[in-house]
Amino acid sequence: MIKKFIQYYKPHKHLFFIDFTCAFLISIMDLVFPTVARKILDEVIPKKDTNLILLFGLGLLVLYILRSILQYVVDYWGHILGVKMEYDMRKDLFNHVHKLSFKYFDNTKTGHIMSRIVNDLNEVSELAHHGPEDLFISAVTLIGSFLIMINLNLKLAVVTFFVVGIMSIFSIKKNRQMKKSFKELRKRLADINAQVEDSISGVRVVKAFTNEEYEQKKFEIGNKNFKKSKEDSYKVMAEFFSGVTFFSNFINLIVLVYGGFLITNGELTIGELVGFFLYISMFLQPIRRIVHLIENYQKGMAGFSRFIEILELEPNVVDDEDAIDISNVEGNIEFENVTFSYNDKKNVLENISFTINKGETVAFVGPSGAGKTTLCSLIPRFYEIDKGKIKVDGIDIRKITQKSLRENIGIVQQDVFLFSGTIKENIAYGKIGATEEEIIQAAKKANAHEFVMSLEKGYDTYIGERGIKLSGGQKQRISIARIFLKNPPILILDEATSALDNETERLIQNSLNELSKNRTTLVIAHRLSTIKNADRIMVLTDEGIVEEGKHKNLMEKEGVYARLYRSQFNVEKVI
Ligand code: ADP
Ligand code: MG
């Protein structure tokens, strides 16, 4: 874990070096001050030479100014180092999350991912900056003051270190508890995040069912847990800090009393005792620093370990080493004995084989849950199949880069996801960097131009979060415009019009027909009227593809399809 953390220092070596050097100089200077003070007390003042005193004062002033400058460098550039590392980590994490496969997102709450990317790394930058620097400064001052104290008076030093030892044991014990409570805290925070994200993105459903109270109760549990967890961690922290403060004061007390005895016995001068006091505070400083560091470390590492956990997740679907980019795709699709399950328990698809020729429009019909959507999501390789082969233009899709494979497939679904932004931006999502002209052309083909122009700001209209300001049909037209712009040779229409009323459906159906021209098209439709004209219809049930043929033939066959069709139209016979 630490090794991985250190990796992030590498790009910022120079900054690290500057920060470190300044920190080192500061600790050396701090070590010198008490000795100077002792000298003034024991040697300069007794001489009663005001010029000499002034000279020492001036020297100290110069040192103090220099120290401040160094402090500025450490505080500013040191933190910049941390900020840069946090930036790098956040970037890596975001990019990595986008590499993960659908299987991961199916099983992970969005809020949890958000809290890892946004919150967990916050503490890491503090640690990145203070971590090594504190450790180093502490080591230098600790060892330095230790040696000087032994030199000043061995007896006094031994007594002091004994108490320091007890204090250290106490600190270590408390720190273990702190670590546990910080990790718990992160977890609880992520839970709240997930809950808020869920509840707010579903706010329309919440209101429609007037389930605000239910949501509040659910949130209350998470919020309470978070509160409890915070209380617990503050409790440990309070125990810790009060304990440490007591020990520090106790050390002073011991030194004062025992030092007093030693002075009485003539084994110690006043100057030495004062010097000793100053070194004790110097000695306690790194201990406080380390304590603070440990706190930072626990918090930072709790975040960092959650960061690494995700970073180490391997995407479920990866490009083969010798995967190739495909271009000029014709659009032949082949399934060879494809078997697939989401969770190894039950095969959603078993031993499915079929061929779709370029330019053909093939409809998949069948009961809900039969696996139609699943089948279509295997073509862009959103999931890895368990057995068999899927080929595009005769090439196994595992031998094709995911990027080039997906660039050649357009998907229109029932649920349209639009990003918050303008209509223009949303259409241009089909082809990043598309010109205004291309966007308008695509919108025209998708029958969207007219309604877009009727909006106040036309293509620059903001559509609200997830397109909430648009109707279902309007959203669907924008998603179709996107695909026109993308212009892929393979098209998947998964219940694209199922959520729409008849009138809108007809309009959109026209655009879809236009869209599927010269493209290999897989259509899943709930309303069978929309697929009557497909080149071929395949009936998918739990048993696999049970019927296949043109509408007319399937009706004549009087099988599953004919039954489905009749049940929808409630007619005895269709020609
Ligand atoms: P259809 O589109 O024919 O209605 P689906 O392909 O959506 O059917 O679903 C087929 C089966 O796979 C269903 O039993 C469904 O519960 C299951 N399923 C669909 N998506 C997932 C998923 N992401 N994770 C686990 N199971 C899923
Ligand atoms: Mg479906």
Side-chain angles (χ1 to χ4, degrees):
M1 187 73 68
I2 302 227
K3 233 185 188 165
K4 283 180 188 125
F5 191 72
I6 292 172
Q7 284 289 324
Y8 279 91
Y9 281 105
K10 276 199 178 147
H12 312 293
K13 282 196 290 270
H14 308 301
L15 219 52
F16 182 75
F17 183 73
I18 293 172
D19 181 40
F20 229 73
T21 313
C22 293
F24 178 71
L25 291 175
I26 288 178
S27 43
I28 294 293
M29 285 171 99
D30 283 350
L31 278 174
V32 171
F33 289 136
T35 301
V36 176
R38 188 179 65 80
K39 272 213 153 39
I40 294 178
L41 274 176
D42 274 351
E43 291 165 27
V44 180
I45 294 177
K47 280 188 189 147
K48 305 210 156 89
D49 179 347
T50 45
N51 277 344
L52 199 60
I53 295 174
L54 268 180
L55 197 68
F56 264 91
L58 215 62
L60 272 179
L61 182 67
V62 173
L63 280 180
Y64 281 141
I65 290 172
L66 196 62
R67 193 192 179 288
S68 286
I69 294 171
L70 291 173
Q71 182 81 49
Y72 175 84
V73 175
V74 168
D75 273 350
Y76 180 62
W77 288 106
H79 276 111
I80 295 290
L81 170 71
V83 170
K84 284 189 179 204
M85 282 170 65
E86 184 187 335
Y87 165 88
D88 291 345
M89 287 177 195
R90 196 165 273 135
K91 186 164 99 183
D92 283 358
L93 189 57
F94 186 82
N95 292 348
H96 186 75
V97 165
H98 271 290
K99 280 198 199 108
L100 293 175
S101 318
F102 275 48
K103 207 163 191 165
Y104 173 73
F105 295 104
D106 287 352
N107 298 313
T108 314
K109 287 185 181 170
T110 317
H112 276 165
I113 303 177
M114 278 171 41
S115 100
R116 291 205 188 204
I117 298 179
V118 180
N119 301 344
D120 282 358
L121 291 176
N122 266 346
E123 320 271 6
V124 176
S125 84
E126 270 299 288
L127 173 64
H129 158 43
H130 288 294
E133 179 196 296
D134 279 2
L135 205 64
F136 185 68
I137 294 188
S138 305
V140 171
T141 33
L142 210 61
I143 295 169
S145 50
F146 177 77
L147 291 177
I148 295 173
M149 278 157 84
I150 286 183
N151 213 348
L152 268 175
N153 190 294
L154 186 63
K155 279 188 192 163
L156 205 51
V158 169
V159 173
T160 309
F161 295 144
F162 180 69
V163 186
V164 169
I166 297 175
M167 181 167 127
S168 305
I169 293 170
F170 169 80
S171 303
I172 290 168
K173 217 177 129 205
K174 282 290 155 206
N175 272 310
R176 286 220 181 102
Q177 296 173 2
M178 273 179 5
K179 181 177 177 179
K180 232 175 89 191
S181 79
F182 287 137
K183 185 136 195 194
E184 180 73 17
L185 199 61
R186 297 254 126 240
K187 231 169 54 202
R188 296 288 171 219
L189 185 65
D191 285 345
I192 292 202
N193 244 318
Q195 237 165 19
V196 171
E197 137 78 30
D198 218 31
S199 190
I200 300 297
S201 47
V203 74
R204 278 153 198 98
V205 183
V206 175
K207 285 202 192 302
F209 283 96
T210 55
N211 274 348
E212 286 92 343
E213 219 167 286
Y214 173 73
E215 288 294 315
Q216 277 160 16
K217 276 202 187 111
K218 249 188 2 190
F219 182 70
E220 181 68 15
I221 298 171
N223 202 10
K224 255 198 188 127
N225 284 337
F226 181 60
K227 177 173 136 250
K228 168 95 181 32
S229 188
K230 247 192 154 155
E231 284 167 356
D232 288 350
S233 69
Y234 276 123
K235 183 166 177 284
V236 187
M237 269 159 72
E239 285 168 5
F240 177 73
F241 285 116
S242 56
V244 168
T245 310
F246 171 75
F247 279 114
S248 326
N249 288 333
F250 188 61
I251 292 172
N252 282 334
L253 175 78
I254 294 277
V255 170
L256 188 68
V257 173
Y258 189 55
F261 283 143
L262 291 177
I263 289 179
T264 316
N265 290 345
E267 289 179 51
L268 198 71
T269 66
I270 295 271
E272 278 168 345
L273 184 64
V274 172
F276 208 89
F277 263 120
L278 290 174
Y279 277 110
I280 285 178
S281 66
M282 187 130 300
F283 189 73
L284 289 178
Q285 220 180 52
I287 291 186
R288 277 202 207 101
R289 238 177 218 280
I290 288 179
V291 164
H292 188 70
L293 169 69
I294 290 173
E295 188 195 327
N296 266 338
Y297 178 81
Q298 307 299 13
K299 281 188 191 164
M301 274 301 164
F304 188 73
S305 70
R306 289 164 59 85
F307 160 77
I308 286 292
E309 250 171 60
I310 296 199
L311 213 58
E312 285 187 342
L313 278 182
E314 291 287 335
N316 181 241
V317 179
V318 279
D319 277 353
D320 217 65
E321 258 174 38
D322 48 0
I324 52 159
D325 282 330
I326 46 169
S327 52
N328 301 322
V329 173
E330 299 204 308
N332 296 299
I333 298 169
E334 248 173 286
F335 271 53
E336 279 179 22
N337 305 314
V338 171
T339 296
F340 172 78
S341 73
Y342 282 105
N343 46 25
D344 305 327
K345 274 191 200 130
K346 181 181 158 283
N347 286 339
V348 176
L349 299 172
E350 209 165 305
N351 223 8
I352 300 283
S353 301
F354 60 80
T355 308
I356 302 175
N357 298 319
K358 62 172 176 179
E360 207 179 3
T361 294
V362 174
F364 287 87
V365 301
S368 155
K372 305 178 294 292
T373 299
T374 304
L375 184 148
C376 287
S377 66
L378 296 179
I379 302 171
R381 211 173 154 215
F382 288 151
Y383 297 92
E384 201 75 300
I385 55 174
D386 302 324
K387 275 186 218 144
K389 252 184 212 167
I390 299 174
K391 290 181 183 170
V392 168
D393 282 2
I395 309 169
D396 189 329
I397 57 170
R398 282 171 293 209
K399 298 281 174 211
I400 302 172
T401 58
Q402 291 172 67
K403 186 167 166 40
S404 74
L405 176 67
R406 289 173 194 167
E407 270 166 2
N408 283 290
I409 301 172
I411 305 172
V412 183
Q413 282 163 316
Q414 181 175 343
D415 300 322
V416 177
F417 188 95
L418 298 180
F419 295 94
S420 32
T422 61
I423 291 194
K424 200 200 288 178
E425 284 163 0
N426 268 287
I427 297 178
Y429 209 78
K431 183 181 169 188
I432 306 287
T435 63
E436 184 110 17
E437 184 53 34
E438 285 176 310
I439 291 170
I440 293 173
Q441 279 307 319
K444 278 185 177 158
K445 286 185 193 156
N447 274 329
H449 183 68
E450 236 166 82
F451 99 77
V452 174
M453 290 315 284
S454 75
L455 298 170
E456 205 184 323
K457 290 187 180 159
Y459 284 88
D460 291 318
T461 308
Y462 276 90
I463 56 165
E465 199 173 8
R466 289 175 200 178
I468 198 70
K469 293 184 189 166
L470 301 176
S471 75
Q474 289 170 336
K475 279 199 270 190
Q476 196 54 284
R477 274 178 265 183
I478 290 185
S479 91
I480 293 169
R482 245 184 214 171
I483 307 287
F484 267 114
L485 202 54
K486 182 174 181 181
N487 195 21
I490 297 169
L491 187 63
I492 294 169
L493 309 175
D494 187 354
E495 311 243 17
T497 59
S498 294
L500 308 173
D501 58 90
N502 287 341
E503 183 63 30
T504 318
E505 178 175 24
R506 214 175 1 250
L507 246 168
I508 295 215
Q509 198 57 52
N510 288 339
S511 325
L512 289 177
N513 291 343
E514 187 60 34
L515 185 61
S516 62
K517 262 184 203 159
N518 300 321
R519 300 180 212 270
T520 307
T521 309
L522 287 84
V523 196
I524 302 171
H526 183 63
R527 281 178 217 140
L528 300 183
S529 57
T530 52
I531 48 127
K532 248 165 96 175
N533 298 323
D535 296 321
R536 215 159 13 125
I537 295 166
M538 297 202 211
V539 182
L540 186 69
T541 70
D542 287 345
E543 268 90 65
I545 297 173
V546 291
E547 283 173 22
E548 183 180 338
K550 280 195 179 294
H551 171 75
K552 197 158 161 279
N553 304 342
L554 290 177
M555 288 309 286
E556 279 164 5
K557 202 173 166 191
E558 292 291 342
V560 182
Y561 180 79
R563 247 197 331 276
L564 271 174
Y565 193 87
R566 297 233 160 89
S567 73
Q568 270 189 14
F569 291 92
N570 210 6
V571 284
E572 281 305 304
K573 208 164 178 191
V574 174
I575 305 145

